[in-house]
Every structure is written in C-alpha cells, then in structure tokens.
Amino acid sequence: MSQLLVAVGVLLAGGLMALLLGRWPRAATVCGAGTALLACGVGLVPAVQVLQRGWLLVFSARGLPVGGLPGVADGSLVLEIDALTAFFLLPVFGLCGLGAIYGGEYLLAYRREKNLGAAWFFYNLLVASMALVLTARNAVLFLVAWEVMSIASFFLVTFEHEKESVRQAGWTYLVATHIGTAFLIVMFVVLGVRTGSFDFADFGRAAGAVAGVADVLFACAVIGFGTKAGFMPLHVWLPEAHPAAPSHVSAVMSGVMIKTGIYGLLRMLTYLGAPPAWWGWLLVGVGVTSGVLGVLFALAQHDLKRMLAYSSVENIGIITMSLGLGLLGLAHDRPVAAVLGFGGALLHVINHAAFKGLLFLGAGAVLHGTGMLEIDRLGGLLKRLPIVGLTFVVGAVAICGLPPLNGFAGELLIYVAALRGAAMRGTEMAVPSVAVIAGLALIGGLAAACFAKAFGMAFLGEPRSEQATHVHRTGVAMLAPMFVLMAACICLGIFGPLVVGRLTPVVVDAAMMPAEPVTRCLDQAAGNLAHVVIVAMALIVLVVLLTVWRQWMLRKRTVGEAGTWDCGYARPTARMQYTASSFAQPLTHVFRALLRTRMRFDRPEGLFPREGRLSTETPDVFTENVYRPAFLGIGWAVSKLRWLQQGRVQLYVLYIAATLLALLVWKLG
C-alpha cells in the first residue's frame, strides 16, 4: 500500500510544481508529464502484486470524525486494494501513464496561448482522484475523491474555454455529474443510517440491515454511477465533453474514468445482499438499449471524436448487459451464467481501455496533423500518416470484436453466457439471454460499418480538403503510446485465454462466489477461446504465406500499374468519392425512426446543373426531446423567483438567518 500512497503523493506534488512553473511551458510539461509517468509506474506495482500473489493491502487511520447524522458513528480513513480494485487500477495507471507521454507533445502546440501548468495540475489531480475512488473504503473519502475527480475533469474538458461549444460541453458535464452525485449521497446516507457507520466493511457485515431498502439503494446506484458511466439516457454529457477535451484527456476519460461508474456499481452490489431477478433484467435492458442506440448514433456522426464518444456509450452497454446476465445467474442459481457474465464484463473493461484509448489518441494525431476532425473533409491520410493509420485500423478491428484481437475475447464470454442462459428451461433466463444475443449481434454488425466508415473516409481515398493534403507530421512522443496500446490490443487477443484464466480472484470478489466453480467455468471458457484464437492465427499465417508465395512467383515477371476504370471521367476529383454521410445513409435510413436525422437535399436542376448538395445532422434525441425542454422549463420556473434577488447583502443575510431558524425549529420539534 505504501507504493500507492507514494504514487498519489508524487501526482499531487508534481501537479503543484507544474502549476507553479506555468510561465515556462516546457518546464511545466516536463514536470507534469514526468511525475505522472513516474507515479503511474509506481502505482502499478501494488496492483500487479495483489493480482499475482492474492494479497490484500490495507491502510487505515481511525478516529476521524465524520458524524453528524442520526445513528452514524465516527468513521475512518481506510484505503484497500483487493483483487477487484487492483484489476481496475491496471487500466487507470497504464492508460494515464501513456496519456502523459502523449500529452507532453500534444499540449506543446498550445504553449503560446495556454497555461500548460494548470492543464498538468488538473491531469495529475484527475489520476490521483481516480486511484482514491478505487481504493477508498469509507463513504466520505469516496465522495470527496469522486467530487475531486469530477472537478478536475471539468477543468480539463474546458481547456479551450474561449470556445462557446467547449464552455457549453463543460457545463453540461458538470451538471450531469452532480445530478449523479446527488443520488450517490442519498445512497450512502441511507447506508450509513442503517448500518451506523460510513465504513464499507460495516456495509458488508450489516447487509441484512439494508434488506428493506436494497431495491431503492440499487436504483440510486444505477442512476448515480450510471451517469458517470454513460448509461442511456444518462449519457448526454459524453458526446459533448469527449470531443471538447484534449485528445489524451478524452482517451483517459473514455478509457478509464467512465469505468469508475462500473466499478462503483460492482462494489455496491457486494454490499446489498442477494440480487433479485429484476436487477438483472434492468441492467440487461439498459445495456442493450445503450449498446444499440450508442452504435447507431456513432454511425450517424461526422466528427471523429464525437463518433468515438458515442461508441463509448455502446461499449458501456456491452459491459452492462453482461453484468445483467451475471446478476440473473446469481438470482436463479446458475453459476455458469453468473461467472461468464461477470467475467465477460470485467474482461471488456480492460479491453475497451486499450482499444478506445488507442482510437482517441489516433483521433488526436489526426487533429494535430490536419487541424480538424470532420470526417467528410479528411481522406488520404494513410499515405501521409502511415503509422497513425496502422495503429488506428488495429484499434478499429479490435473494437469491432474480430478475432484474434482483444475485443473478441470479452464478447465471446458474453456470447457463451447468453447461449447458456438461452438453453435453460423457463423464461427467467432465456428471454434476457436471447435479447443479449440479438443485441450483441446487431451491435457487432453496426460497429463494423461504423469503423469501416471512419477509417475508410478518413485514411483512404484522396484528400477532400487543403488541410488533409498538407499534414503536419506526428512526433515520436505521440506515436510511442499508440504503439504500446496497439501491442496491448494484439497481445490481449492472442493471449486472451491466459488472461481469462487469471480472472478468478477478480470474479470471486465481484460476484461473491466460491473460488472453485469460478475457476472451473473460467478454465473451460479459456479453452474455448484458445480454439478460436488458434484458428484465427492459422488463417492469418495462411494469408501471409500466400502473399509471400505470390511475391516469389512474380519475382521474375514484369508487373505494371495502371489507373483503375474511372467511369469515363478523365480527371476524377475527391468530390466523386463516397462521403461519410453517403456511406452510412443506407443504414441510418433503416433506423430513421430512432435517429431522427435531419436532412437537407439541394437537388440538381436544369439540363446542365452546376451543383447539388446533401447534408445530414443527427442530434441526440434525448438532449433535444427530454433534457433541453426540461431545463428550459426549470429555467422559466426559477426566473419567476428573481424578485428575491434585490442586490442587498443585508437581505441575503436575513435569508440565511431565517433558514437556520427554520432548521432549528424543525430539529427541536
């Protein structure tokens, strides 16, 4: 545990030093990025030790007063690393360390107009707060770290605050995260009153004390943690905040920060006792909805980072539907479904951190090189940024769940869990399992179309704009983290069976099951995965051998090159290529009732038309039809109370005194 405390201390000290060095951008960058990288390396040590050796690391400082609620005793500052915490710490420290290397070069482009010391201060603060969220075993400490995480990420999202769209995205995120925090406060207050303590250990020992309100607590946890994770319809901040933030921050927020919501939900489930079946049904419904709608909205986007943000909603949906299967397995005493459900969700957590981090860093390299992210104005980048294109296509294949890369491994466990559930008698497991199979299959097909559009329109063909023609090269500091994440996507896929076999302690902690059935189920799943990986690798080797054989056969022949048939056009232009909108239009048209895409079509007219134009826009239906009208209504209602604001300090002091007097009378009564 001492290494973790050192890591948090280095992060905070390095952030403060970077803040003080803000007038010297390079010095602030070296200090901020260097201490972040050092701290992440140190923080990985206890996480790996816990997973390898089965340790339980605890730090405790007793006797801290956190009372003030009826029946709640004084609490304590408790940090703990068990297998579940260690598993989530791996992507936090791993991706944040790589993000620090990437950000060291990425942010220098803003050195003449921004205070980079402040950016690195909040980055280090974000990493430290996420580590404390995962290790906290006291409700007060957890909420403090949760709030610090939210505030630090808010300032990172608003890095370019001079832009109106960025400020709007920041406020949307801040409001959304505090609505979620309000539900978490209610949950912890009820738990504290029921158990007489704010310590998580007492929550677990007094699980029977919350039996009467377990359903309410679960609902609060789903809303509170689901807002951070991005469950639909609580996702509206993701497509706004992720495109606004610097790219390495987007990678961290999407790859690991939203997973703190998944971690919090898992942690609270261990304190709420045996789950009823409706908990699993709810998570399956939320997961399928988030997954399908998330990938549909991703397919309809024109901005590369906004598309990746909606894809994060999709992958959170995959994780959530798998957790739902796990809860249903526990509720109906189906250990295989429970183990594979929790195992698939946890494996997809680590896999998503790898390929989504890679894709956001790739999008940042595109933005760094061209100055824009509009897919319809890109094109031909593979010739100009070949390394970025290579890493991006690996991430795209991984996120589509194709073997032998890592995205396939987690989804296979989910498929097996759902197939086992569908084969059981009765509807209690069959119906949600069939829904998961159908949803996962639809998500996989739409994700393939989505990322074929993203890679094909951005990297293939000819440039569609001057910016895409003259590209600024990407430096080694930005390429190195992308190579590491690309290698992680490949290795986690090829060695996926070994990873699945090492999930036993994590699943035991998450599902609260005995180790023996967990080990047996995971070993069998690892064997099934190994067969698929071997076949996929054999096919890849066969393709490579055939390519080499073809080159050898043609070595003494003359091979000429000629232009492809150009439909009679002597000089084709980039405007004759497919655009991202036209590529996705057949699929978005099928789901137009859900997407509500707005289309503007200027038809060519006359015998010799000069131009025609088609443009589409797909706003978020929940933002447009739910949240915006609701907040406009709240704003209108609050405006009716403006007469209370007289601008006189004495009157405001009177308001405070009257409120305190009313609370005193209520308390005495």
Side-chain angles (χ1 to χ4, degrees), residues 96-436:
C96 290
L98 295 174
I101 300 173
Y102 184 98
E105 179 180 338
Y106 183 89
L107 289 181
L108 283 179
Y110 300 90
R111 61 185 179 275
R112 291 185 176 87
E113 52 193 89
K114 296 289 182 182
N115 184 342
L116 300 188
W120 284 112
F121 169 75
F122 288 114
Y123 184 84
N124 285 17
L125 188 62
L126 174 62
V127 180
S129 60
M130 286 192 292
L132 291 176
V133 164
L134 297 178
T135 56
R137 293 298 183 270
N138 177 272
V140 174
L141 177 61
F142 183 95
L143 287 173
V144 170
W146 187 270
E147 183 67 10
V148 172
M149 178 179 69
S150 300
I151 296 298
S153 51
F154 164 76
F155 283 106
L156 290 170
V157 167
T158 55
F159 177 70
E160 297 184 82
H161 56 83
E162 67 276 3
K163 299 178 181 178
E164 172 63 26
S165 60
V166 171
R167 293 197 300 272
Q168 186 65 34
W171 290 120
T172 300
Y173 167 62
L174 197 64
V175 171
T177 192
H178 280 91
I179 291 175
T181 303
F183 283 90
L184 296 183
I185 291 173
V186 171
M187 179 188 71
F188 282 123
V189 167
V190 174
L191 279 168
V193 171
R194 288 273 179 160
T195 61
S197 171
F198 277 143
D199 285 349
F200 287 3
D202 294 327
F203 293 169
R205 286 193 292 266
V210 301
V213 294
D215 291 343
V216 175
L217 295 175
F218 173 74
C220 289
V222 169
I223 297 173
F225 292 120
T227 302
K228 182 69 70 178
F231 295 171
M232 277 203 175
L234 308 173
H235 69 289
V236 291
W237 66 269
L238 268 86
E240 304 297 330
H242 286 356
S247 294
H248 64 294
V249 175
S250 299
V252 168
M253 291 178 67
S254 179
V256 291
M257 193 193 75
I258 63 175
K259 307 295 175 41
T260 59
I262 298 296
Y263 167 81
L265 182 59
L266 279 170
R267 182 62 69 186
M268 286 302 109
L269 286 173
T270 63
Y271 303 138
L272 299 182
W278 78 266
W279 292 9
W281 281 82
L282 177 63
L283 291 187
V284 167
V286 170
V288 172
T289 302
S290 299
V292 173
L293 290 181
V295 72
L296 278 175
F297 279 105
L299 183 63
Q301 300 307 308
H302 305 296
D303 183 279
L304 192 56
K305 286 177 69 174
R306 191 175 178 87
M307 183 205 74
L308 293 175
Y310 273 111
S311 175
S312 295
V313 177
E314 165 219 335
N315 282 274
I316 286 294
I318 293 174
I319 295 169
T320 307
M321 68 173 75
S322 187
L323 289 179
L325 284 179
L327 288 180
L328 285 169
L330 291 177
H332 298 295
D333 195 21
R334 306 293 187 182
V336 175
V339 171
L340 295 180
F342 280 98
L346 290 167
L347 188 56
H348 203 73
V349 164
I350 206 99
N351 289 334
H352 178 255
F355 58 64
K356 186 52 65 68
L358 173 58
L359 290 169
F360 265 113
L361 296 186
V366 171
L367 177 61
H368 182 265
T370 64
M372 62 182 180
L373 289 168
E374 188 178 348
I375 301 175
D376 285 331
R377 298 184 62 196
L378 298 173
L381 295 182
L382 189 60
K383 299 176 183 177
R384 294 158 178 81
L385 299 172
I387 299 178
V388 175
L390 172 64
T391 58
F392 193 93
V393 75
V394 170
V397 173
I399 200 172
C400 293
L402 299 177
L405 298 184
N406 63 332
F408 173 79
E411 292 189 18
L412 179 65
L413 294 190
I414 303 172
Y415 268 120
V416 173
L419 289 170
R420 291 291 186 90
M424 295 175 183
R425 295 181 179 179
T427 60
E428 65 274 2
M429 282 294 295
V431 173
S433 298
V434 170
V436 168

